[in-house]
Amino acid sequence: MSQPVTQITPLKKKDAPAPAKGSYAFVSLGCPKNLVDSERMLGLLQLDGYQLVREPQGADFVVINTCGFIERARDESFASIHEMLELKRRGEIKGLIVSGCLAEREKEKLLETCPEIDQVVGVFGREEVTKVADRLIGGMHEQRTLFQPASSVGLNDHNRLRITPRHFAYLKISEGCDRLCTFCAIPKMRGKHVSKPMEDIVAEAQELAADGVRELIVVAQDTTYYGRDIYGESRLNELLKRLDDIEGIVWIRLMYFYPMYIDDALIRTIGASKKIVPYIDMPLQHINDTMLKRMQRRVDRAGTEDVLDRLYAGIPNLAVRTTFITGFPGETEEQFSELMEFVRDRKFARAGVFTYSYEGDTPSAKIPDHIDEATKEDRRERLMGVQQANAFAYNESQVGRTLDVLLDVPVEGERDVWIGRTTADAPDVDGAVFVTGKKLKAGQFVPTEIVASREYDLIGVPTGKAR
């Protein structure tokens, strides 16, 4: 996800700094976890006296918080880097700071690839971003990199300058991952799993609610693992109960579940909650036992089916979002057909499909029988065809229902038409609802009759008072 910073939710006036030390523009790339890091760096820079501008031209420097997860994400990050370096060559910006996962993964090699970058900051150097900016502004070029070891405690995400609209925010409850899936480089970039203390998370959620947030989106590399490192057991159930009590929050959305440590108590909490929406994002990646073992997912088909059955039974109107990988090394046509049938039978409301990305520094690179790109892409398209039928059928089943829709933004160039989301839609990754009505505002919940479906999106009209 590319997120140039063109809209911000400002910090409170009491936190505003003295006159600006310099101006900067910011580009945030990658997942919601990376976005939280971006918002934290934006907050630190503002509190230290740097002025954020909407366009890079004329800025003293630009910060790009990169993604380095797979080749496609790295290509996007390098494209942004080269774009800003071209502005630097033309004298339209004075300097460039590159931070985030690509910086962490490449480290000093990034300066060899792009020597015109002024400063490189790793994932865990984000708290020092103001010092890095000071070095750039002060012309101190002797030290051009800043890398810190992975944190052994949860990072402080308070005092963020939010990129998201005022009414929703991401709440990161942990950092890093202990899963060691063979295709994934996240542990190399983000370190081992580290949970944030529950009190800190609740305090941050209260801070966000006081700032106008109505939807909290809970994120982590592995949400269901929360608490096992600091409490000796998963404590997500207790955390959700405490978040459920925060005044001002209307929706709580759960992302990045792993199909382990989902017990019946957690399911009961989600099913009985008035604020936790019936939506769970749970990447499954495959269903064939041999493929799951090669991926080192530590769960087999029977375990996956059991988790899904218990979730659907315990959470009324549940919409599950998942992701799958096609063309993993050694995947046979028979194993892929098993995945196709599984997706066809399960009828997921939401799903994404990605081709396997060869990553030389991950264990899967050494697995034999790699598959050619054409076959990987063909399988992706075929699986997406199955899922498309599921998604369209799900949307058609919503026609005639009256659903609460959270309004995000007006439709550009249209009058009284808004883009909103139901409980089954997470920002940026799922569909939308187009709502036509007068005197509506961003952040309102509007009872909406769904009158039509349009592929992945819905069309509705208000039937009650917005709140």
Side-chain angles (χ1 to χ4, degrees):
M1 180 187 69
S2 175
Q3 184 78 48
V5 176
T6 58
Q7 61 174 15
I8 57 172
T9 300
L11 295 174
K12 296 175 183 178
K13 288 184 178 179
K14 68 180 180 65
D15 296 321
K21 296 166 67 175
S23 64
Y24 73 101
F26 202 106
V27 178
S28 183
L29 304 171
C31 67
K33 286 90 69 179
N34 210 43
L35 185 142
V36 172
D37 291 341
S38 294
E39 292 177 338
R40 173 62 175 166
M41 287 190 284
L42 284 160
L44 291 169
L45 287 164
Q46 187 199 33
L47 292 173
D48 198 53
Y50 286 97
Q51 179 185 3
L52 176 66
V53 296
R54 295 183 181 274
E55 300 295 335
Q57 289 83 356
D60 289 314
F61 61 92
V62 175
V63 181
I64 304 177
N65 194 27
T66 59
C67 179
F69 181 44
I70 58 176
E71 184 178 5
R72 187 184 311 168
R74 292 194 297 278
D75 288 345
E76 182 182 18
S77 294
F78 275 115
S80 292
I81 290 169
H82 290 308
E83 179 183 358
M84 294 305 146
L85 288 179
E86 180 58 31
L87 293 181
K88 182 182 175 184
R89 293 183 198 107
R90 299 204 301 258
E92 296 184 42
I93 64 173
K94 297 178 182 177
L96 177 62
I97 298 172
V98 177
S99 64
C101 288
L102 178 67
E104 188 70 39
R105 192 170 187 177
E106 297 285 329
K107 290 190 163 51
E108 284 79 5
K109 291 181 182 178
L110 189 55
L111 288 176
E112 297 175 12
T113 304
C114 302
E116 294 173 274
I117 294 173
D118 294 274
Q119 297 285 333
V120 176
V121 185
V123 167
F124 297 100
R126 67 167 208 186
E127 297 296 302
E128 308 295 324
V129 67
T130 57
K131 294 181 180 178
V132 174
D134 290 345
R135 287 204 307 244
L136 191 157
I137 291 291
M140 295 178 285
H141 302 302
E142 293 81 6
Q143 182 180 347
R144 298 173 62 194
T145 62
L146 195 157
F147 297 101
Q148 301 281 15
S151 179
S152 60
V153 296
L155 296 177
N156 175 7
D157 291 322
H158 291 276
N159 289 320
R160 290 190 261 150
L161 186 63
R162 290 194 289 112
I163 300 170
T164 58
R166 194 178 194 96
H167 58 275
F168 74 80
Y170 295 100
L171 182 68
K172 184 160 62 171
I173 65 173
S174 64
E175 185 58 84
C177 187
D178 288 351
R179 291 297 171 199
L180 302 178
C181 298
T182 57
F183 55 82
C184 184
I186 290 295
K188 291 178 178 293
M189 296 181 287
R190 294 275 180 176
K192 294 179 66 65
H193 179 99
V194 178
S195 300
K196 290 164 66 173
M198 196 174 302
E199 295 298 332
D200 289 353
I201 297 171
V202 172
E204 183 184 342
Q206 291 170 333
E207 178 184 291
L208 291 168
D211 194 41
V213 169
R214 309 192 77 191
E215 179 186 16
L216 278 180
I217 306 172
V218 177
V219 298
Q221 301 297 339
D222 182 356
T223 306
T224 52
Y225 200 70
Y226 172 76
R228 294 186 68 85
D229 55 322
I230 56 177
Y231 302 118
E233 61 182 358
S234 179
R235 298 284 286 273
L236 181 61
N237 186 37
E238 180 182 345
L239 173 63
L240 292 181
K241 288 179 178 179
R242 296 190 62 178
L243 295 178
D244 207 40
D245 290 335
I246 295 176
E247 186 175 352
I249 300 300
V250 181
W251 282 0
I252 299 171
R253 187 178 300 278
L254 303 176
M255 305 284 286
Y256 307 108
F257 267 43
Y258 190 91
M260 290 179 69
Y261 307 113
I262 301 175
D263 59 21
D264 290 340
L266 176 61
I267 294 173
R268 284 194 299 270
T269 293
I270 297 170
S273 170
K274 294 181 179 179
K275 296 182 179 180
I276 302 173
V277 299
Y279 174 103
I280 289 176
D281 168 80
M282 185 169 64
L284 297 177
Q285 313 305 6
H286 216 284
I287 198 58
N288 173 265
D289 282 342
T290 299
M291 286 294 99
L292 291 170
K293 188 174 182 179
R294 282 192 168 203
M295 291 177 175
Q296 202 167 303
R297 293 289 288 169
R298 297 170 59 191
V299 63
D300 59 10
R301 175 166 186 159
T304 300
E305 298 264 27
D306 175 67
V307 167
L308 288 169
D309 289 342
R310 289 189 290 115
L311 286 170
Y312 282 118
I315 305 172
N317 302 312
L318 176 65
V320 171
R321 174 178 176 79
T322 189
T323 56
F324 298 103
I325 297 172
T326 61
F328 191 82
E331 183 189 53
T332 65
E333 185 64 30
E334 182 181 5
Q335 291 163 343
F336 172 69
S337 296
E338 182 182 347
L339 177 58
M340 291 261 287
E341 286 303 312
F342 171 74
V343 174
R344 184 177 289 111
D345 292 343
R346 279 293 175 174
K347 301 186 188 309
F348 294 104
R350 310 282 185 251
V353 182
F354 303 90
T355 58
Y356 167 74
S357 177
Y358 175 86
E359 305 294 320
D361 57 353
T362 61
S364 64
K366 298 180 177 62
I367 294 176
D369 303 321
H370 281 254
I371 294 171
D372 63 271
E373 293 298 326
T375 301
K376 289 192 286 188
E377 183 60 32
D378 174 71
R379 290 177 181 175
R380 189 196 75 83
E381 291 181 3
R382 288 157 60 194
L383 188 55
M384 274 305 302
V386 172
Q387 176 53 31
Q388 184 181 77
N390 292 341
F392 289 3
Y394 176 85
N395 273 4
E396 288 169 5
S397 74
Q398 305 304 298
V399 176
R401 297 186 64 193
T402 297
L403 306 173
D404 272 353
V405 174
L406 175 57
L407 301 181
D408 283 335
V409 293
V411 175
E412 189 174 351
E414 298 286 341
R415 185 175 181 180
D416 298 328
V417 183
W418 287 78
I419 297 174
R421 294 177 288 110
T422 70
T423 58
D425 304 303
D428 297 321
V429 294
D430 294 322
V433 186
F434 292 87
V435 180
T436 301
K438 296 183 181 296
K439 297 182 180 180
L440 299 177
K441 296 179 181 179
Q444 289 181 324
F445 289 90
V446 182
T448 301
E449 180 184 355
I450 305 302
V451 297
S453 65
R454 189 175 66 186
E455 297 184 344
Y456 292 102
D457 299 322
L458 300 171
I459 299 171
V461 294
T463 60
K465 186 177 180 181
R467 65 187 194 281

